[in-house]
Amino acid sequence: MLNNFNMDFFSLKGKVAIVTGGNTGLGQAYVVALAKAGADLFVVTYDREWDETRKMVEAEGRKIEFFQADLTDRGQIDKVIKECIETFGKLDILVNNAGTIRRAPLLEYKEEDWDAVMDINLNSVYFLSQAAAKIMVKQGSGKIINIASMLSFQGGKFVPPYTASKHGVAGITKAFANELAAYNIQINAIAPGYIKTANTAPIRADEKRNAEILSRIPAERWADPFDLMGAVVFLASKASDYINGHILAVDGGWLVR
């Protein structure tokens, strides 16, 4: 049995992946990583700034299609799955990357900001995963990869709905795994640490806060999106077939300090 293992276990050749929010930042890194491993991509975005991502995927010889959608509109969830199936004929991998964050002190936090964050960070993850799972159960296989956070483990400051939503993502990951593992579907999550993206630019620009963060990271640096590429390929591949309901921290050691 041991002799049967080879590097093809990490190959995604012939697979089709949906990635939400896949045109910038970490989402773009996930898309490019999956393409490099052999997958074709169906990328769901809120805007139309996708030329750069298309060029990077096509340079790998893979196919890519984009679908513009507002994932807070539940009526569009089924359209995402339908369009992917009509385009590629199948769905093997779902990466729930789309998310948002709004910062304000707790006592000043607005109701509409709470709703906006929860709608995209948690509600869309649940409903899109549920729709994808219906396809995966029929075919007897599938991978769902959610994007959690350090705030899936901690409380944070000035981001109450983000923290609540990312705790919820961890919970959804475990709940889905309990019900779908028997169908050969693996549901796991990646919890990125502090990554250089547009979302974290205000924190990195705050000299005091930036120093506090770096002082706690054993790796002594912020991560680049590149640092997450191996994790998404692993969780999307056959190599992770016996991993289910796990929250994989990619954090430079943040949680252990």
Side-chain angles (χ1 to χ4, degrees):
M1 185 68 176
L2 297 182
N3 290 332
N4 291 334
F5 183 84
N6 57 65
M7 295 311 293
D8 287 343
F9 275 51
F10 295 93
S11 173
L12 301 179
K13 186 175 181 180
K15 302 294 185 181
V16 172
I18 291 177
V19 180
T20 65
N23 58 327
T24 59
L26 280 180
Q28 186 181 68
Y30 298 141
V31 165
V32 174
L34 296 172
K36 284 180 175 290
D40 292 323
L41 279 302
F42 188 85
V43 178
V44 183
T45 74
Y46 187 70
D47 55 45
R48 296 183 62 85
E49 296 179 4
W50 55 53
D51 288 347
E52 182 183 54
T53 307
R54 182 186 296 279
K55 290 177 182 178
M56 288 191 286
V57 170
E58 291 180 345
E60 299 298 327
R62 307 315 311 164
K63 298 176 182 178
I64 183 168
E65 293 293 337
F66 293 87
F67 185 77
Q68 189 173 15
D70 177 2
L71 293 175
T72 65
D73 179 355
R74 295 178 191 175
Q76 296 190 36
I77 296 294
D78 288 337
K79 290 182 181 179
V80 169
I81 302 299
K82 180 181 178 181
E83 289 291 328
C84 178
I85 298 299
E86 289 183 354
T87 301
F88 291 111
K90 60 186 301 192
L91 170 60
D92 302 294
I93 303 156
L94 169 64
V95 181
N96 283 306
N97 170 72
T100 190
I101 188 168
R102 299 187 183 185
R103 294 182 173 87
L106 173 64
L107 300 183
E108 300 172 15
Y109 217 92
K110 297 178 181 178
E111 182 178 346
E112 57 265 31
D113 289 335
W114 169 276
D115 289 339
V117 173
M118 296 298 283
D119 276 346
I120 187 65
N121 288 11
L122 187 60
N123 293 338
S124 73
V125 171
Y126 172 80
F127 288 108
L128 191 55
S129 296
Q130 183 187 49
K134 292 176 182 178
I135 300 297
M136 294 174 177
V137 165
K138 290 179 182 178
Q139 66 193 23
S141 64
K143 303 276 186 174
I144 297 176
I145 303 168
N146 296 323
I147 305 305
S149 168
M150 292 295 96
L151 295 188
S152 295
F153 306 98
Q154 301 168 324
K157 293 177 69 176
F158 310 124
V159 286
Y162 185 86
T163 300
S165 69
K166 292 303 182 178
H167 272 68
V169 166
I172 283 176
T173 300
K174 297 170 185 178
F176 271 60
N178 273 334
E179 294 201 40
L180 298 178
Y183 297 96
N184 191 33
I185 300 170
Q186 291 81 49
I187 304 92
N188 296 289
I190 296 172
Y194 284 86
I195 317 295
K196 295 177 183 177
T197 66
N199 274 345
T200 61
I203 301 176
R204 286 181 283 118
D206 183 331
E207 186 174 334
K208 180 180 178 181
R209 180 67 176 133
N210 184 57
E212 289 174 350
I213 290 169
L214 286 175
S215 71
R216 182 173 165 168
I217 302 174
E220 298 183 344
R221 67 177 178 87
W222 285 69
D224 289 300
F226 171 85
D227 291 301
L228 281 295
M229 294 173 77
V232 76
V233 170
F234 171 61
L235 291 178
S237 72
K238 184 175 178 58
S240 63
D241 277 1
Y242 202 62
I243 297 175
N244 226 327
H246 181 66
I247 316 300
L248 175 61
V250 185
D251 63 351
W254 170 273
L255 288 177
V256 300
R257 175 160 289 181

